[in-house]
């Protein structure tokens, strides 16, 4: 199946995107997908009708539709861990039963949601001014990203997100908090993650140093209820979730508690409804009209087809500043694998490097390379028609204009002829004109996609997150990998555990390589 992709990739590599628009007046509509008021435009890519057919065949050949049903219906598709994958159940507010091993999980999901709401209301109604979520990876990035994204909807206490084991993170956060008015949420699916447990202990010590009892000041969010109890957090302040919710997919459940405290249960339900609406679209729409599927196929085209190793996520929405980091975990922890589910090596590249920053800031930093560097970087733009500051509408218009300008510039480029004309208009001539003109050439014909949304609200944020989750799923199915495990993070964790006593001087660095020994020596000399 990859042979056909390689063939159309070779044919399409140099295809003129502008040429595609010239020969097809309907291209903008024909190469875009509309769903739930969002518009995903992939017309500014080299994908033509024949390429799209090959991509859709790739999806059909990989049984995307059957795998999708298997996921939604609770089959153990996370094969290396023997688990179902049911983050979709967390937003299945009124969608009927979902069974795992013959048991409906929905009563438990709805009961936990009700408990979250009661706890959130209790905190919102108390004198707590600051909530500190202590977690890392999926237990941090989701709520931290969404808290910033939805700041116009915040009417509850301030939230802070401490993740790094670097003491700077917790020290800087606690400096601004009143111990008598601060609540800690220890968010950890496993409740064993070294960074989180170290920060949680430091938070407890901070309270005690300030003469404040830890009673009632901690909430735990975890699948490991025993460890949480062991840590001294009473059961009524522990919100559990099942092992079929992966860490990077967990913002929809208890891990989203800080967000719920900030924006209130009603707005949090709107966030869930957005995710659920995208689930329904993903499950029902034909592949060619299916937004997550087409987003995935564009990704496969650029990465496995054309060999572009990275993709930039460029939200023109300042409040989505943490979205690229969130998507890095979602995409790279899910699809950064080189062994297929059947144990064979992947015959193509694994998932791409994902990176990005909000526009317009990135324009004044790294866009130079995107426009004139030697590598092609497919760009994924994102912008809302409306902002949250109607009184400053002119800002928003400029923001949109910049977003649209970038995709147009990437596609059009600027020829040497145009550059020469520009230099002549500036009064240059002869050798100097020639020299300057060359630096002002833009190769153009660089692909990008644009996701348009009406406005960034709890509901549309839910749609966007679910859209990307399903994109990752479809790409993973086509690659034949398990997108839901993360064995690649284990080795580093094990070595860090063994290096801890070496760094603190309790154990010698014997057995370590010469480089590691020298680095430890340096630390000892300067600490
Ligand atoms: O190390 C990776 C990882 O396991 C992520 O998958 C997860 O989101 C993160 O660590 C945090 O894990 P936990 O929620 O169990 O503390």
């Amino acid at each position: 199946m990859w042979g056909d992709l390689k063939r159309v990739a070779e044919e399409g590599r140099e295809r003129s995107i502008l040429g595609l628009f010239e020969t097809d007046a309907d291209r903008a509509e024909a190469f875009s997908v509309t769903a739930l008021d969002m518009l995903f435009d992939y017309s500014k890519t080299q994908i033509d009708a024949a390429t799209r057919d090959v991509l859709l065949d790739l999806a059909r050949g990989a049984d995307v539709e059957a795998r999708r049903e298997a996921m939604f219906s609770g089959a153990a598709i996370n094969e290396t861990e023997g688990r179902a994958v049911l983050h979709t159940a967390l937003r299945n507010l009124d969608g009927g039963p979902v069974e795992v091993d013959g048991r409906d999980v929905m009563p438990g999901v709805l009961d936990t949601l009700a408990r979250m709401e009661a706890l959130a209301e209790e905190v919102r109604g108390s004198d707590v001014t600051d909530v500190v979520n202590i977690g890392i990876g999926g237990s941090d990035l989701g709520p931290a990203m969404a808290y910033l994204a939805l700041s116009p909807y915040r009417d509850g206490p301030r939230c802070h997100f401490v993740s790094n084991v670097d003491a700077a993170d917790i020290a800087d956060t606690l400096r601004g908090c009143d111990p008598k008015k601060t609540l800690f949420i220890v968010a950890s699916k496993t409740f064993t993650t070294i960074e989180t447990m170290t920060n949680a202990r430091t938070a407890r010590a901070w309270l005690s140093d300030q003469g404040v009892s830890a009673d009632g000041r901690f909430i735990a969010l975890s699948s490991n209820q025993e460890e949480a109890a062991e840590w001294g957090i009473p059961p009524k302040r522990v919100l559990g979730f099942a092992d079929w919710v992966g860490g990077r997919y967990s913002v929809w459940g208890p891990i989203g508690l800080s967000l719920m405290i900030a924006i209130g249960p009603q707005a949090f339900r709107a966030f869930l409804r957005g995710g659920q609406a995208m689930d329904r679209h993903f499950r029902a729409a034909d592949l060619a009209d299916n937004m997550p599927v087409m987003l995935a196929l564009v990704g496969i085209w650029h990465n496995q087809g054309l060999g572009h190793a990275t993709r930039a996520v460029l939200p023109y929405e300042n409040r989505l500043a943490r979205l690229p980091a969130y998507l890095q975990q979602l995409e790279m922890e899910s699809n950064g694998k080189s062994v297929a589910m059947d144990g064979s090596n992947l015959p193509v590249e694994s998932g791409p490097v994902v990176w990005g920053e909000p526009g317009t800031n990135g324009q004044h930093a790294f866009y130079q390379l995107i426009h004139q560097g030697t590598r092609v970087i497919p760009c994924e733009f994102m912008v809302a028609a409306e902002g949250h500051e109607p009184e400053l509408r002119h800002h928003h218009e400029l923001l949109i204009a910049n977003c649209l300008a970038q995709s147009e510039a990437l596609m059009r480029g600027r020829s040497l002829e145009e550059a020469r004309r520009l230099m002549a208009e500036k009064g240059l001539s002869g050798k100097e004109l020639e020299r300057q003109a060359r630096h002002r050439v833009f190769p153009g014909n660089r692909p990008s996609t644009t996701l348009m949304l009406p406005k960034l609200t709890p509901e549309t944020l839910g749609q966007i997150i679910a859209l990307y989750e399903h994109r990752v799923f479809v790409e993973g199915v086509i690659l034949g990998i398990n997108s839901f495990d993360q064995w690649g993070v284990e080795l580093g964790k094990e070595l860090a555990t063994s290096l801890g006593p070496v760094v603190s001087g309790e154990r010698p660095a014997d057995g370590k390589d010469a480089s590691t020994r020298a680095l430890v020596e340096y630390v000892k000399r300067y600490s």
Side-chain angles (χ1 to χ4, degrees):
M1 65 181 201
W2 295 110
D4 285 342
L5 180 68
K6 288 288 167 205
R7 179 179 51 74
V8 288
E10 282 326 305
E11 289 164 9
R13 187 174 294 283
E14 304 298 333
R15 185 178 295 132
S16 158
I17 303 173
L18 276 173
L20 289 171
F21 280 101
E22 277 158 21
T23 53
D24 180 0
D26 299 327
R27 179 168 174 84
E29 207 189 321
F31 289 80
S32 58
V33 181
T34 309
L36 317 172
D37 290 336
M38 294 205 297
L39 169 70
F40 170 58
D41 174 11
Y42 62 97
S43 62
K44 291 192 186 94
T45 66
Q46 272 101 355
I47 296 175
D48 63 0
T51 305
R52 181 167 57 193
D53 286 346
V54 167
L55 290 166
L56 287 166
D57 280 349
L58 210 56
R60 285 188 205 102
D63 251 348
V64 163
E65 284 153 305
R67 298 296 294 171
R68 179 182 65 188
E69 260 332 283
M71 174 175 74
F72 278 103
S73 55
I77 63 165
N78 175 355
E79 290 180 14
T80 57
E81 295 179 308
R83 293 175 185 167
V85 173
L86 276 178
H87 46 278
T88 51
L90 300 177
R91 52 204 190 216
N92 179 38
L93 292 178
D94 46 16
V98 178
E99 292 191 356
V100 176
D101 297 330
R103 290 223 348 244
D104 183 10
V105 300
M106 284 317 298
V109 167
L110 297 176
D111 180 60
T112 303
L113 179 60
R115 287 189 57 221
M116 271 176 82
E117 292 179 335
L119 256 179
E121 289 297 20
E122 183 191 312
V123 176
R124 284 160 60 83
S126 72
D127 63 355
V128 167
T129 54
D130 293 86
V131 172
V132 181
N133 184 84
I134 300 178
I136 196 164
S139 299
D140 164 72
L141 288 163
M145 174 274 296
Y147 175 76
L148 179 60
L150 299 180
S151 59
Y153 297 86
R154 179 169 82 80
D155 56 3
R158 273 186 302 270
C159 293
H160 311 269
F161 297 87
V162 170
S163 53
N164 204 323
V165 76
D166 184 343
D169 201 359
I170 192 151
D172 287 351
T173 302
L174 295 184
R175 199 164 296 126
C177 294
D178 174 348
K180 292 202 189 74
K181 294 185 174 170
T182 300
L183 174 82
F184 293 96
I185 296 179
V186 185
S188 175
K189 183 177 170 184
T190 55
F191 228 73
T192 55
T193 304
I194 188 88
E195 292 93 331
T196 300
M197 301 325 296
T198 305
N199 278 322
R201 277 192 296 273
T202 300
R204 199 163 55 181
W206 176 75
L207 286 177
S208 137
D209 289 350
Q210 315 268 330
V212 175
S213 159
D215 289 352
R217 302 243 146 251
F218 281 86
I219 291 175
L221 315 173
S222 185
S223 300
N224 189 346
Q225 314 241 6
E226 300 78 54
E227 276 295 328
E230 188 103 321
W231 214 78
I233 302 179
K236 63 178 193 325
R237 295 181 80 79
V238 180
L239 290 167
F241 53 101
D243 66 2
W244 38 257
V245 181
R248 53 194 174 275
Y249 299 87
S250 61
V251 62
W252 312 97
I255 294 295
L257 182 67
S258 51
L259 176 67
M260 187 192 268
I261 291 173
I263 64 174
Q266 231 185 322
F268 191 84
R269 274 187 183 249
F271 171 66
L272 297 183
R273 269 200 308 278
Q276 185 185 24
M278 185 53 73
D279 293 343
R280 287 188 167 143
H281 164 76
F282 175 54
R283 209 169 169 179
D286 286 345
L287 296 187
D289 302 321
N290 196 306
M291 199 178 274
V293 171
M294 289 315 301
L295 182 60
L297 292 180
V298 173
I300 293 276
W301 165 246
H302 285 142
N303 184 21
Q304 286 76 19
L306 295 176
H308 303 319
T310 85
R311 62 176 162 236
V313 184
L314 306 165
Y316 277 64
E317 176 81 49
N318 208 44
R319 294 188 180 104
L320 286 179
R322 297 293 284 153
L323 183 70
Y326 175 81
L327 292 182
Q328 278 174 339
Q329 187 196 15
L330 184 64
E331 302 212 11
M332 292 161 79
E333 202 172 69
S334 297
N335 289 345
K337 290 152 194 174
S338 44
V339 174
M341 200 93 89
D342 63 8
S344 62
N345 288 331
L346 285 197
V348 289
E349 297 291 348
S350 57
V353 176
V354 178
W355 61 286
E357 272 287 315
T360 58
N361 293 10
Q363 291 177 202
H364 300 273
F366 54 78
Y367 277 42
Q368 165 65 41
L369 184 142
I370 291 181
H371 283 289
Q372 287 189 317
T374 51
R375 290 182 186 85
V376 174
I377 297 168
C379 294
E380 301 191 349
F381 295 102
M382 191 181 291
V383 69
E386 210 189 320
H388 281 96
E389 288 72 26
E391 69 289 3
L392 298 173
R393 173 75 196 165
H394 60 292
H395 281 253
H396 201 72
E397 284 165 1
L398 265 175
L399 184 75
I400 296 174
N402 271 276
C403 179
L404 303 186
Q406 292 301 324
S407 64
E408 189 184 345
L410 284 167
M411 174 173 67
R412 276 189 195 289
R414 184 192 281 147
S415 68
L416 186 57
E417 265 321 297
E418 288 169 303
R420 283 188 182 126
R421 216 173 310 128
L422 206 70
M423 291 302 95
E425 278 165 21
K426 289 206 182 319
L428 297 188
S429 61
K431 271 199 178 147
E432 187 55 12
L433 178 146
E434 249 345 280
R435 197 172 73 84
Q436 293 287 352
R438 279 193 56 73
H439 295 280
R440 282 153 175 86
V441 171
F442 288 66
N445 211 27
R446 300 206 157 180
S448 69
T449 61
T450 304
L451 181 70
M452 306 282 303
L453 52 141
K455 187 175 180 175
L456 186 64
T457 62
E459 197 147 359
T460 55
L461 182 69
Q463 293 172 10
I464 293 169
I465 301 309
L467 165 67
Y468 272 88
E469 285 177 350
H470 295 322
R471 179 245 198 121
V472 167
F473 170 76
V474 173
E475 288 193 13
V477 170
I478 293 175
L479 289 172
I481 58 177
N482 179 6
S483 298
F484 301 101
D485 60 14
Q486 56 283 318
W487 301 110
V489 302
E490 294 302 321
L491 182 56
K493 284 187 196 174
E494 285 164 26
L495 292 176
T497 306
S498 76
L499 271 163
V502 176
V503 172
S504 63
E506 287 159 56
R507 245 189 254 149
D510 300 355
K512 294 288 171 195
D513 58 88
S515 160
T516 306
R517 283 203 310 272
L519 297 172
V520 169
E521 267 318 302
Y522 178 94
V523 173
K524 286 194 181 141
R525 211 175 322 132
Y526 283 97
S527 61

